[in-house]
Amino acid sequence: EEGLVGSGLYELVGIVSHVGKSAVSGHYVCHVRMQDGQWAFFNDRKVSWSVKTPFKHGFMYLYRSKE
């Protein structure tokens, strides 16, 4: 159909989540899927491998087209 771009298939590549007791305290962190499929955890200046990626607790989900 004219006007459609791509296959419509996407993969999850990042999750932004909130750490803290409420919306007025705490801060946001990010989990990013690396090329090898592992997840990295970005928390201010600290970067580590994600042991328990919060798939169900994201504030924002980032996807990339699979094309």
Side-chain angles (χ1 to χ4, degrees), residues 15-17 29 31 41 50 52-59 61:
I15 302 169
V16 176
S17 59
V29 296
H31 291 78
F41 175 60
S50 179
K52 194 172 182 182
T53 306
F55 295 109
K56 294 182 180 180
H57 302 289
F59 175 77
Y61 295 88

Side-chain angles (χ1 to χ4, degrees), residues 18-61:
H18 183 265
V19 176
K21 293 185 179 189
S22 72
V24 295
S25 67
H27 65 284
Y28 293 92
V29 296
C30 186
H31 291 78
V32 176
R33 184 183 213 166
M34 307 306 284
Q35 288 182 342
D36 64 1
Q38 290 187 336
W39 287 84
F41 175 60
F42 292 79
N43 183 0
D44 295 334
R45 294 183 184 147
K46 183 179 179 183
V47 178
S48 60
W49 291 114
S50 179
V51 177
K52 194 172 182 182
T53 306
F55 295 109
K56 294 182 180 180
H57 302 289
F59 175 77
M60 181 185 315
Y61 295 88

Side-chain angles (χ1 to χ4, degrees), residues 1-5:
E1 183 173 305
E2 189 174 348
L4 291 179
V5 178

